[in-house]
Every structure is written in structure tokens, then in C-alpha cells.
Amino acid sequence: MANIKKPHTSPEERIEQMIQRLKESNHRITPQRFGILKVLANSTRHPSAETIHSAMIVHYPTMSLATVYKTLALLKQVGEVLELQFSELGNRYDGNHPQPHPHVICTDCGEILDPSLLDLKKITEKMMRETGFKIVGHRLDFYGLCPNCQ
Amino acid sequence: MANIKKPHTSPEERIEQMIQRLKESNHRITPQRFGILKVLANSTRHPSAETIHSAMIVHYPTMSLATVYKTLALLKQVGEVLELQFSELGNRYDGNHPQPHPHVICTDCGEILDPSLLDLKKITEKMMRETGFKIVGHRLDFYGLCPNCQ
DNA sequence: GTCTGTGCAAACCCTTTGCACGATG
DNA sequence: CATCGTGCAAAGGGTTTGCACAGAC
């Protein structure tokens, strides 16, 4: 059973994986895209599009938010980023673990953690049997207050 | 273990519960609010604000969307409705089972089902131990294609 | 050189808010 | 009759889109 909390892949390796996937699907590696991959691979904080943009504008002063959104949509499409939708918090992105996995979310400061792996395979099968759905993904969030905000 | 899928509470009983809660918290029962409670209690489809509004405007031609949103916010505040946030689908509301419970969501047509109860108490405790968070809620969604959309 | 990607601004969608009027308790 | 709720319209925030220019391959 793999431990997705501390993957053996380094940020560099992760960036390389994502680049490969983009090339495979005939997409160009632009400085903007490379920069976004770098931010994603080096972040454990599940950044928002805005956060990624802010981090990048220091080095790429002309970087636009639209490009961040377009790149995130592309990465989502090729399966290299996991999008966590929140209507209040705004969407957040996980580029290190694109497969569904549980999150623990602070309702006060918005911090998002990846706790250790939890296998929902059996539960997913149960759900498929019960509902007749063909289930291809899931989402498991726990909401509460992080140690700092308590 | 209770089965939250088919509660013994009828829509009428459920409406009564919600009315009690509103009265307890010193809120008035207006025709608009009563209508929204009726729609919520009679729906198993996790309606959006827009859906509730559309259902009501037939009987209350002056009904406004703003009032639907305000009432949903109020019901959420007093714990009588569960809000499911989706940035794409728009938020959806469950007035029959305000406590967190799993959902199975069709990514094609947007249908949302309540499968039978699944107890996450032990997993929640594990998460609290592991992360130091004080967890007060959760969300468990399964995504896939419903029988109709497959 | 071709074609995709970028960046700007405008458009979009859902949701929230301010405010004057209306209705509840 | 005091206060709270309603409805309109405008504002708001995050995200998406159209289009001309720039740049990757």
C-alpha cells in the first residue's frame, strides 16, 4: 500500500512527470507553464489560482491570472492536478497527488492538510452496488479547526 | 444503526421540525419561508436555490431568488439544512438530512443520491489524532455516472 | 513559418448586499 | 405598532472567454 503523504518523488521528479504528460498530449512547455508546475510541485498547501499567480508574478511580471486558470484546466484535463471545489473558499489545487485522497480543512484559516492514506476502495464498491452508478472518483473532506485556530 | 436513507419522518413532520427550530430562534414564519420548507421537505433531489425558486414562483409569483438565498442561509445557520458546495454545479441543499452524510453524484446530469448510512466516526477520530484538528464536520462525495447517463 | 499560448478586458454565473416597502407577531 | 422579512437592482468574487499579439517548436 503506497503512502501518498510522503511520496518518494521529489518536486523535480514531479515537475518532470508533468512535463512528460504535457508533451505526450502535444502541449508546449512555455515559461509560464513551467513556472506553474514549479509552484504546484513545491507546494503542500493546496494553493488557489490566485495564490499561484501571486507567487509567480514576482518572477514573471506579465503573468496573467487567465493563464493560470487555463493551465490548471489543462493539467486537470490530463490528470496531473486535483481540483478541490469550494464555493466560498474558492477552488484549490493539488499538483502532488492528483488522485482523490482525503483532506482536512480548517474552516477558519483555510489551511488544507493531506492526512495519511485511507483506502475507500471497498466503500466505493459498496456504493456502486447499491446505487448502480459507475463511480470514477470521490472526495473526502474533514472540516474543523486547525491547532493554530482552536 | 439508523438508516438515514428512508427516515421515518414524513415531509409534514420534517416541515414541522423546521418550523419549530425557526420559532425557537425567534424567526417569523412567512408564506415564503413556509413554501421553501415545503419544497425542501418534499425533495430528495438536493435542489439548488434556482430550482427551489422555480418550483415556488408558480404559486408565489413575486417570490425572489434573494429570499431563497436568505432563507437557505438562515436554515443552514440553525442547522436544518445541509449545504453542498460545488463551484461548477452551483450549491445544492439537503433539507431532509442536515447532518453530514455521503452523496453519490452524477457528473453528467448532476443527479445526487443519498446512499445508505456510512459511519465515519472512527475515521474522524483517527484524523483528529493524526492532524491535531478539532473536526466538526465532513463531506464524502462519490462521483460517477448514474445508470441513465452511462 | 505555423500554430498554439498569452494577456488583456469584458463577460459570466452564482451569490450577497443595501435599501425602501410590506407584513408578521 | 415595532420589528423583521421581502424584493428589486446593483455589487461582488471567482472563473471563463474572445481576440490580437507573441513565442514555442
Side-chain angles (χ1 to χ4, degrees), chain B residues 28-31 49 65-66 69-70 90-91:
Chain B
R28 295 177 181 169
I29 309 303
T30 63
L65 238 194
Y69 278 111
K70 284 169 185 167
N91 293 353

Side-chain angles (χ1 to χ4, degrees), chain A residues 98-116:
Chain A
Q99 307 80 19
H101 58 281
H103 291 95
V104 178
I105 297 147
C106 180
T107 49
D108 200 40
C109 69
E111 174 166 8
I112 301 181
L113 287 193
D114 286 349
S116 64

Side-chain angles (χ1 to χ4, degrees), chain A residues 52-70:
Chain A
I52 295 171
H53 180 248
S54 304
M56 292 196 58
I57 204 145
V58 185
H59 306 294
Y60 301 86
T62 66
M63 186 76 199
S64 83
L65 237 193
T67 298
V68 176
Y69 278 112
K70 283 169 184 165

Side-chain angles (χ1 to χ4, degrees), chain A residues 48-134:
Chain A
S48 64
E50 179 59 47
T51 304
I52 295 171
H53 180 248
S54 304
M56 292 196 58
I57 204 145
V58 185
H59 306 294
Y60 301 86
T62 66
M63 186 76 199
S64 83
L65 237 193
T67 298
V68 176
Y69 278 112
K70 283 169 184 165
T71 301
L72 288 171
L74 172 58
L75 291 172
K76 186 169 67 161
Q77 183 199 308
V78 300
E80 292 296 322
V81 88
L82 181 70
E83 181 182 67
L84 293 170
Q85 296 187 4
F86 298 99
S87 66
E88 310 195 312
L89 218 56
N91 293 352
R92 306 279 290 261
Y93 298 87
D94 190 336
N96 285 309
H97 314 112
Q99 307 80 19
H101 58 281
H103 291 95
V104 178
I105 297 147
C106 180
T107 49
D108 200 40
C109 69
E111 174 166 8
I112 301 181
L113 287 193
D114 286 349
S116 64
L117 185 67
L118 215 161
D119 195 348
L120 292 188
K121 219 174 294 172
K122 279 186 188 137
I123 295 176
T124 302
E125 281 160 15
K126 180 173 184 292
M127 291 293 148
M128 289 202 268
R129 264 181 272 118
E130 191 174 319
T131 61
F133 273 55
K134 177 173 170 44

Side-chain angles (χ1 to χ4, degrees), chain B residues 82-102:
Chain B
L82 181 69
E83 182 182 67
L84 293 170
Q85 297 187 4
F86 298 99
S87 67
E88 311 195 312
L89 220 56
N91 293 353
R92 306 279 291 261
Y93 297 87
D94 189 336
N96 286 308
H97 314 111
Q99 309 78 19
H101 58 281

Side-chain angles (χ1 to χ4, degrees), chain B residues 6-22 24 34 37-43 75 80 95-98:
Chain B
K6 295 166 187 162
H8 296 133
T9 29
S10 65
E12 291 69 31
E13 289 170 323
R14 182 71 193 117
I15 293 172
E16 203 45 50
Q17 287 172 4
M18 295 194 275
I19 288 178
Q20 283 316 315
R21 185 67 64 103
L22 288 179
E24 278 168 31
F34 185 70
L37 298 186
K38 256 193 342 203
V39 175
L40 284 173
N42 286 290
S43 175
L75 290 171
E80 292 295 322
N96 286 308
H97 314 111

